[in-house]
Amino acid sequence: MRVVVLTGAGISAESGIPTFRGPDGLWEGHRVEDVATPEAFVRDPEFVHRFYNMRRNKLLSPEIQPNAAHIALANFEARPGIEFLLITQNIDDLHVRAGSKNVLPMHGELLKARCLDTGELFPWREDLSMGTPHPKHPERLGRLRPHIVWFGEVPLGMDQIEDAAHRADLFLAIGTSAVVYPAAGIVQWTKPSCRRVEINMEATPQSNRFHESLRGPASQLVPKYLDEL
Ligand code: BV8
């Protein structure tokens, strides 16, 4: 069975990482759409670095751990006969830490930095600033950005995503408000015979495209749903 899963901030909420559009969705009074943009980075790079430094430090604190939903997805992927792709909009590493193998982080990764000049990626767990020396050319300062897809930038792996969606027998959307494109549109690439299931706390603008919409916390509904498959 070919299974494609799309996750959003809701799957990490119970691990302690705030979602974007819930009551705790603002940062210093700013919407993510206003901070996560190339224009904001040009205008005030230290402000954008501070936004990601805060989120990277929180992600690295010991109380932030994968929850039962992350773990259930990793266990399901390991089942025989399952061809599995986990597309995540999240920039945390909780799916990988839970043991998921075939993970496509379409909006980038918080624990990687990218060279502005060459696009080279580096694993990154410290703060970034305009004073950060380049790992290979220490005389160059401030030439790194977070390896994150900002608004107005093209998400990663779109060709692979479209191909997998077209071939999927089961498409599972978990913990996403389905307002950000092209992620919210992936469900529309599935074939008519594909089973489409949404697991979320609330209805979304895409709910009507799913055969089944399960309402409730991912940490309870995801393990239950996958166990019954
Ligand atoms: C693109 C990284 C072109 C950043 C993110 C004007 C100018 C420019 C672009 C646009 C524009 N107008 C529209 C656009 C397109 C734009 C867009 O869609 N904007 C929205 C706001 C309207 N999209 C883009 O710019 C994209 N790029 O269009 O390029 C292109 C495209 C294709 C081909 C060629 C060219 C780039 C979008 C990527 C932006 N980067 N992340 C960062 O994280 O700092 S998106 C950001 O929002 C996060 O990644 C997040 O994942 C994503 C979506 O949010 P969700 O994950 O859904 O989280 P949210 O909080 O919204 O919802 C959580 C849900 O979980 C809720 O429904 C809640 O009920 C539920 N929940 C909560 N707790 C639980 C739960 N469910 C279960 N259990 C629980 N416990």
Side-chain angles (χ1 to χ4, degrees):
M1 178 166 65
R2 291 188 286 251
V3 179
V4 172
V5 177
L6 172 68
T7 61
I11 200 170
S12 295
E14 292 166 86
S15 294
I17 297 181
T19 63
F20 291 93
R21 294 168 187 87
D24 55 359
L26 293 180
W27 177 71
E28 294 188 1
H30 299 276
R31 294 177 326 124
V32 68
E33 291 85 10
D34 300 330
V35 185
T37 70
E39 295 76 20
F41 188 64
V42 168
R43 187 172 59 243
D44 187 350
E46 292 295 11
F47 169 69
V48 176
H49 276 313
R50 201 166 56 246
F51 177 55
Y52 289 98
N53 291 342
M54 179 275 294
R55 292 169 67 191
R56 189 182 302 105
N57 291 330
K58 176 155 180 74
L59 175 58
L60 292 173
S61 46
E63 78 271 7
I64 305 291
Q65 295 295 331
N67 64 56
H70 296 104
I71 292 163
L73 285 169
N75 294 339
F76 181 77
E77 177 180 6
R79 280 194 206 170
I82 298 290
E83 191 181 315
F84 190 88
L85 175 64
L86 174 49
I87 305 162
T88 186
Q89 299 173 83
N90 301 338
I91 60 175
D92 63 56
D93 63 341
L94 296 180
H95 283 303
V96 170
R97 282 167 51 191
S100 288
K101 301 290 180 244
N102 201 8
V103 181
L104 201 168
M106 68 181 292
H107 291 163
E109 298 173 74
L110 191 51
L111 300 184
K112 284 187 180 158
R114 187 196 311 165
C115 175
L116 287 166
D117 305 311
T118 63
E120 188 176 0
L121 299 182
F122 301 96
W124 207 270
R125 301 172 77 86
E126 292 79 37
D127 283 357
L128 270 177
S129 78
M130 292 311 282
T132 303
H134 191 286
K136 290 185 174 173
H137 312 283
E139 74 286 359
R140 288 188 209 157
L141 305 184
R143 300 306 301 154
L144 296 171
R145 62 169 275 181
H147 176 51
I148 301 285
V149 176
W150 286 330
F151 287 93
E153 296 185 322
V154 179
L156 307 172
M158 290 309 300
D159 292 345
Q160 183 186 350
I161 288 172
E162 187 166 353
D163 177 56
H166 286 314
R167 298 165 65 244
D169 302 309
L170 171 66
F171 179 78
L172 190 51
I174 304 170
T176 180
S177 61
V179 297
V180 172
Y181 282 81
I186 296 169
V187 64
Q188 298 164 23
W189 289 335
T190 56
K191 60 193 180 192
S193 62
C194 174
R195 181 94 181 129
R196 296 182 286 278
V197 178
E198 180 185 57
I199 296 179
N200 204 51
M201 289 294 264
E202 62 191 1
T204 74
Q206 296 289 340
S207 293
N208 61 345
R209 294 185 184 277
F210 289 87
H211 298 103
E212 226 179 323
S213 275
L214 310 178
R215 293 278 168 269
S219 68
Q220 291 168 31
L221 295 187
V222 174
K224 182 172 180 300
Y225 179 77
L226 294 175
D227 284 350
E228 288 163 6
L229 257 192

